Amino acid sequence: EVVRTEGWRALYAGITPTLLGVMPYAGLSFMVFETLKSQARARWNLKSDRDMPTSMRLVAGGLAGLVAQSATYPLDIVRRR
């Protein structure tokens, strides 16, 4: 129905704002996660990421997601309006 009335381009109308919101989220999440892992390795004298317990990586990932979502949520609101 959409393709017939508005054309193929209508299916991809929101992809640019979506990508503009996803890129900062992914970059910030990755940066915070890697920073937290690096600091945890230094604090507990771990030689590599493999020495880090799963629970510690889970907490680092959760905090990274929290920071990234909190920072990029306003972009998501603008995109939806």
Side-chain angles (χ1 to χ4, degrees), residues 57-72:
R57 274 186 262 139
L58 184 65
V59 169
L63 289 173
L66 178 74
V67 169
Q69 185 62 40
S70 297
T72 60

Side-chain angles (χ1 to χ4, degrees), residues 20-39:
L20 290 175
V22 167
M23 285 189 278
Y25 171 82
L28 187 58
S29 178
F30 181 75
M31 182 194 73
V32 172
F33 181 63
E34 291 299 321
T35 300
L36 290 173
K37 281 194 327 181
S38 174
Q39 290 190 1

Side-chain angles (χ1 to χ4, degrees), residues 4-71:
R4 202 171 331 124
T5 58
E6 298 179 42
W8 284 98
R9 293 186 69 172
L11 295 175
Y12 300 99
I15 197 155
T16 300
T18 299
L19 291 176
L20 290 175
V22 167
M23 285 189 278
Y25 171 82
L28 187 58
S29 178
F30 181 75
M31 182 194 73
V32 172
F33 181 63
E34 291 299 321
T35 300
L36 290 173
K37 281 194 327 181
S38 174
Q39 290 190 1
R41 276 195 321 267
R43 179 178 173 106
W44 283 286
N45 296 322
L46 302 173
K47 295 181 183 196
S48 73
D49 288 347
R50 293 190 181 270
D51 296 334
M52 191 177 298
T54 302
S55 59
M56 192 179 293
R57 274 186 262 139
L58 184 65
V59 169
L63 289 173
L66 178 74
V67 169
Q69 185 62 40
S70 297

